[in-house]
Amino acid sequence: MNDPTVGDPGEPDVRSPLRYLGWLATSQLRRSLAGTFFGTAWMLGLTVQPYLLSRAVDDGLRTGRTGPVLGWAAAMLAFGLLNLLLAWHRHRVMTLVRNDATFRTVAVVLRHSTRLGAELPRQVTAGEVVTIGISDVVRMSLALTFIGPGVGAVVCYLTIAAVLLTLSPLLALVVLLGLPLLGLTLRPLLSRQQHVEDAYRDHQARLTARFEDLAGGLRVLNGLGGKDVYAARYRDDSRRLRAAGYRVGAVTSWIQALGGGLPVLLLAAVTWIGARLAVAGELTPGQLAAVFGYTAVLVAPVYFLLENSQDIGRALVCARRVVAFLSLAPAADTGTAGPPPGPAGLADPESGVRLAPGTLTVLASARPAESAAVAERLARLDAAARPGAGPAGPAPEWDGTPLTDLPLTAVRDRITLAENEAALFAGTLRETVRGRTGAGDDALLAAIDAAAARDVHDALPGGLDAPLAADGRNLSGGQRQRLRLARALTADPEVLLAVEPTSAVDAHTEAAMAAGLRAARAGRTTLLTSTSPLLLDRADTVHYLVDGKVAATGTHRELLRTQPGYRTLVTRDADSRPEPPAAAAARPEPPAEDAS
């Protein structure tokens, strides 16, 4: 996966955390093998220098000959430069391996989040997903260091043991038994580390979720006076996370202390035995120098093996979370019926709302949540699964076929719900309005004009290339609402369901949006929820809802004449809206009072 934005990351192995880590390595098999080769070659290159040093001592220094000394010294220099080149390649390849693993995990998590869709916030918190994308991917990628210098460390360790076996079986035995004993000594601490890391990871996800809630609802909390209460809860969670971090640090410090101290004892034992053998005449001076060299070289493989053990322990904790997330199942789509071949009527039996193909319909209700619920059902959102929802009624029908019997992908491709608080993602204005379509700039500008948002485009530096903050934080509420409508119009779905698309704008802007929306959706099935007379007057059909049911149907003017409740509703809405600037300017000023 050379470019994380292009290509398929593959299907991960989620049978266990260890299998997932194995998948990260085998999914880039050639690069992993290259890392193993360079890591092993580099480690073995370290063992060559003590041998060359022993030959220089025995063949040159002992005999007093300069030529052999210079020859073996030149060989040591050549192998040193070669090993330097191998180390450079090892580091480069392993960096690519770790980056690939990081981006691959991010890609599969993002893809699975998309698959889960509306099920995502019901099954996992935002903090959990953020923690996976920020910290877990890094720790899992570090564990892949084992396939390079980790494998090389094992090969180097066994090679040194084999070389020492030719010099002294006792030395070989000490080396071969020393590392397993180190592992057994550290095993309880490594197990403890996984346990405390798991607890720390839980606290971290909860704190991240708390922070997102606090940041996202700051204005609401300010209005309700609850900012200090939530801040106190965040401080409490922070203290618990800090305490968990101290526990992680305590275990880690013991592992690092013992991991750094116990190998020194092993190396000291090897050095002492080698010196005793040299004194007894069983080793030549050159061989003794080689033993010292091999002992020094052992520092590298022992360090890597202990470090990799820690990294793998941390990675297993993180991989367990990733596997659990990737194992979440989206809502089952059992629809097998065929969708209508062309434009067709859409009906909601629970409320009595019916949409004729190619018409503009507006739902008017004193309770906006009731009209929004109708739009959600017509978009086949599982409202019954939401907190506080009542029992599910009969399924909406499309051309007589229940929406639940149709494949969800077919419904999503042809029916679009544009919610009033739909998210605006960080990016350029072009990316925001384009959405998932491939619309060109001309089509985007046409949609912006239809949504009366050309002033937003002109005010931003760079036009379509202007950057927008996440959720459009650098825009006003009315500007965000118009861009949401422009994005919905760019999608140009067969059926557009827009919830309160003009609630945050003044009457002058609303009139322009109503005209643009009517023109842009001519001949396309459109449903709006609103009590604005400016929108209602342009509708082909208006459904007046009372307690979530259709109480009357007709045109706006018909319902004004025949429905007192409807007349009161829309008149109240008209009175509550600010007067258009043009009307205010045209209204004559009242006569000045006589000062006398």
Side-chain angles (χ1 to χ4, degrees):
M1 209 171 139
N2 296 325
D3 186 347
T5 63
V6 180
D8 183 6
E11 287 299 326
D13 189 340
V14 296
R15 289 176 291 177
S16 71
L18 189 58
R19 289 179 183 271
Y20 181 80
L21 294 178
W23 172 77
L24 289 178
T26 56
S27 58
Q28 44 177 330
L29 185 58
R30 293 180 60 184
R31 191 178 289 149
S32 297
L33 292 176
T36 302
F37 170 77
F38 287 119
T40 303
W42 170 67
M43 281 284 188
L44 289 178
L46 297 177
T47 67
V48 174
Q49 297 288 12
Y51 170 76
L52 297 178
L53 177 61
S54 69
R55 295 304 303 270
V57 171
D58 286 342
D59 295 349
L61 295 179
R62 287 183 64 193
T63 60
R65 294 186 297 171
T66 305
V69 172
L70 294 177
W72 289 116
M76 292 179 67
L77 176 62
F79 270 96
L81 294 176
L82 176 61
N83 224 33
L84 178 65
L85 185 62
L86 291 173
W88 180 83
H89 279 289
R90 171 194 62 81
H91 181 74
R92 178 179 179 276
V93 173
M94 292 311 304
T95 300
L96 293 175
V97 168
R98 288 189 290 266
N99 286 342
D100 185 283
T102 298
F103 293 132
R104 197 175 294 272
T105 296
V106 170
V108 296
V109 168
L110 180 61
R111 182 180 64 188
H112 195 64
S113 300
T114 305
R115 288 175 179 173
L116 290 173
E119 287 293 311
L120 179 62
R122 300 172 192 165
Q123 299 193 43
V124 67
T125 65
E128 180 74 12
V129 180
V130 170
T131 306
I132 288 175
I134 292 178
S135 63
D136 290 351
V137 293
V138 175
R139 293 187 175 185
M140 289 187 296
S141 299
L142 284 176
L144 296 188
T145 301
F146 182 78
I147 67 177
V151 173
V154 174
V155 175
C156 179
Y157 185 80
L158 296 177
T159 300
I160 290 178
V163 172
L164 292 179
L165 182 63
T166 63
L167 299 176
S168 168
L170 179 59
L171 287 174
L173 184 63
V174 171
V175 170
L176 287 174
L177 294 181
L179 190 59
L181 288 176
L182 286 177
L184 291 176
T185 303
L186 295 177
R187 180 179 176 82
L189 288 174
L190 293 174
S191 299
R192 172 66 177 167
Q193 181 195 31
Q194 289 194 39
H195 176 73
V196 295
E197 287 269 4
D198 203 12
Y200 179 84
R201 175 63 175 71
D202 282 337
H203 286 296
Q204 188 180 32
R206 283 196 292 269
L207 187 65
T208 304
R210 178 83 71 186
F211 178 79
E212 287 205 355
D213 291 342
L214 184 63
L218 194 57
R219 285 192 295 179
V220 176
L221 291 174
N222 276 331
L224 298 176
K227 181 175 65 174
D228 293 337
V229 175
Y230 269 79
R233 293 177 184 174
Y234 183 83
R235 284 193 293 270
D236 289 340
D237 287 341
S238 297
R239 282 192 287 268
R240 282 190 283 270
L241 179 64
R242 184 177 58 192
Y246 284 150
R247 289 190 288 272
V248 173
V251 177
T252 302
S253 64
W254 276 106
I255 292 175
Q256 291 179 345
L258 294 176
L262 293 179
V264 172
L265 297 179
L266 172 63
L267 302 181
V270 172
T271 303
W272 182 79
I273 294 172
R276 297 287 295 179
L277 293 174
V279 170
E282 298 181 28
L283 293 179
T284 66
Q287 290 173 333
L288 179 59
V291 169
F292 289 152
Y294 292 134
T295 302
V297 169
L298 275 175
V299 172
V302 171
Y303 168 79
F304 271 109
L305 290 176
L306 293 177
E307 187 75 12
N308 287 159
S309 298
Q310 281 188 275
D311 290 339
I312 291 173
R314 294 190 183 103
L316 288 174
V317 172
C318 300
R320 190 177 300 116
R321 302 294 177 149
V322 174
V323 166
F325 176 79
L326 296 177
S327 299
L328 297 177
D333 184 10
T334 57
T336 57
L346 192 59
D348 177 39
E350 185 173 341
S351 63
V353 170
R354 293 184 176 276
L355 308 183
T359 61
L360 174 62
T361 304
V362 180
L363 304 184
S365 173
R367 299 172 181 170
E370 293 177 349
S371 54
V374 174
E376 290 175 355
R377 289 197 295 270
L378 291 173
R380 194 182 156 182
L381 289 185
D382 190 9
R386 297 186 177 186
E397 298 177 351
W398 197 9
D399 198 24
T401 303
L403 282 180
T404 51
D405 292 345
L406 301 174
L408 185 59
T409 52
V411 176
R412 293 286 180 265
D413 286 341
R414 298 172 62 179
I415 301 177
T416 295
L417 175 66
E419 295 180 292
N420 188 33
E421 296 298 328
L424 293 176
F425 301 101
T428 64
L429 178 61
R430 177 184 289 103
E431 293 169 340
T432 298
V433 178
R434 177 179 289 165
R436 67 172 186 172
T437 70
D441 288 356
D442 291 342
L444 299 181
L445 292 175
I448 289 174
D449 288 336
R454 179 57 78 120
D455 62 313
V456 181
H457 168 274
D458 295 340
L460 292 173
L464 290 175
D465 293 318
L468 298 185
D471 280 334
R473 288 192 299 269
N474 56 336
L475 303 174
S476 69
Q479 290 174 328
R480 290 195 295 270
Q481 192 169 58
R482 283 179 281 164
L483 291 185
R484 291 187 186 105
L485 180 60
R487 181 174 61 186
L489 294 176
T490 300
D492 194 27
E494 181 180 321
V495 179
L496 174 62
L497 313 171
V499 177
E500 300 290 343
T502 63
S503 60
V505 298
D506 58 40
H508 176 73
T509 304
E510 185 177 36
M513 293 175 70
L517 180 61
R518 177 75 192 194
R521 294 293 298 173
R524 310 282 277 172
T525 307
T526 308
L527 171 71
L528 311 178
T529 70
S530 179
T531 54
S532 167
L534 292 172
L535 289 177
L536 293 165
D537 193 42
R538 291 183 177 273
D540 298 310
T541 303
V542 176
H543 291 301
Y544 171 45
L545 302 184
V546 177
D547 294 331
K549 310 290 183 183
V550 174
T553 299
T555 66
H556 172 57
R557 298 181 186 276
E558 290 172 349
L559 294 179
L560 284 176
R561 292 195 305 269
T562 61
Q563 297 294 323
Y566 176 83
R567 183 166 56 250
T568 301
L569 174 66
V570 299
T571 303
R572 180 185 62 193
D573 183 78
D575 292 341
S576 66
R577 286 185 175 269
E579 188 175 20
R587 187 176 65 249
E589 295 184 2
E593 295 183 1
D594 191 349
S596 61

